[in-house]
Amino acid sequence: LVVGLAGWDNTDSLANVVVTYNGIPMTKLGEQLAGNNAVLWGLANPATGAHTVSVANIPSGYSELGGGSVSFTNVHQTSPTGTLASAQSESVNISLSSGDLGIDILYSGTGVEEPVAGANETKQVNRNLTSNTQKWMMMGTEGGSGTVTMNWTDAGGSDFAIAAIPLHPSSFTPPPPDTTPPSTPTNLSATAVSSSQINLSWTPSTD
C-alpha cells in the first residue's frame, strides 16, 4: 500500500505528518519538501478489506493539500522499494530493475487543466485542490527497466513538486549484504607542531 500527500503552503511543510493504515504506522518512503511538498508512505502486507488511512500532524494553516492511496499485489515483502527520487518539477528519473513498477505523486500549482500523465504512465489518482481547477494532486504508475522518466504535462503549469519510487516484485532478489570489512589505515605519522599541538596524518582505509 502506498499513500501520497502533495500540496503547498507559505510557511508550513509536511515533514512531521504521520500516516497510519488500520492503526498501523506507515513508513515514510521519501519526500520533496523544498517549496512545494510531495511525500510518499508505504506499508508492506497491509490488512485486507476496507480499513481507514489516517493522517495526523497536518499543519493547521496548510492552504492546499491533496492525498490518495494505491494498493498493489505481488510486491516483495522485505525489500519492497528502491531509491526515491524527487524534484521541483513535473518529471523525475528513477532507476527500475526488471519487473519493477514506479509510482509517483505530483503537485501542480498553476496549470489551467488537469495534468496529463506521460505516454508510458498510467494515472491512478487525481484530486482537484481548488474550485478554479488550477491546483492538482496526481498519482501514477509506470513500468520499465533502467532509467525511466515519470512525467506529467500541465498546460501553463510552472509550479510543481514530484516524488517517485520503484516497487520491487515478489521475485526480486535483494543484493547480498556487504560483509567485507574496511582495510586497516596505514602510514600513521605524528608531527609535533608546538608544545601543545601534534598533527596526525594517515592513509585512509578502503572498502
Side-chain angles (χ1 to χ4, degrees), residues 40-131:
L40 292 171
W41 288 264
L43 179 65
N45 195 26
T48 58
H51 299 283
T52 300
V53 174
S54 297
V55 181
N57 297 341
I58 296 174
S60 60
Y62 210 89
S63 57
E64 299 165 8
L65 182 64
S69 63
V70 185
S71 57
F72 301 88
T73 58
N74 299 318
V75 176
H76 199 283
Q77 295 301 290
T78 57
S79 297
T81 60
T83 302
L84 181 132
S86 64
Q88 288 289 320
S89 174
E90 58 190 322
S91 67
V92 69
N93 292 334
I94 59 172
S95 179
L96 299 183
S97 301
S98 178
D100 283 357
L101 183 69
I103 180 167
D104 68 355
I105 181 168
L106 173 82
Y107 167 78
S108 173
T110 59
V112 296
E113 58 189 26
E114 178 181 329
V116 177
N120 298 313
E121 183 164 354
T122 301
K123 179 177 70 176
Q124 300 290 350
V125 178
N126 67 322
R127 295 283 185 271
N128 182 2
L129 307 185
T130 57
S131 59

Side-chain angles (χ1 to χ4, degrees), residues 5 33 93 99 109 116 139 150 178 192:
L5 291 175
L33 294 179
N93 292 334
V116 177
M139 295 179 73
M150 301 192 71
D178 182 1

Side-chain angles (χ1 to χ4, degrees), residues 29 32 36 39 75 92 104-105 108 117 120 136 151 164 168 173 181:
L29 304 177
Q32 169 63 52
N36 303 319
V39 192
V75 176
V92 69
D104 68 355
I105 181 168
S108 173
N120 298 313
W136 296 84
N151 68 292
H168 296 318
T173 301

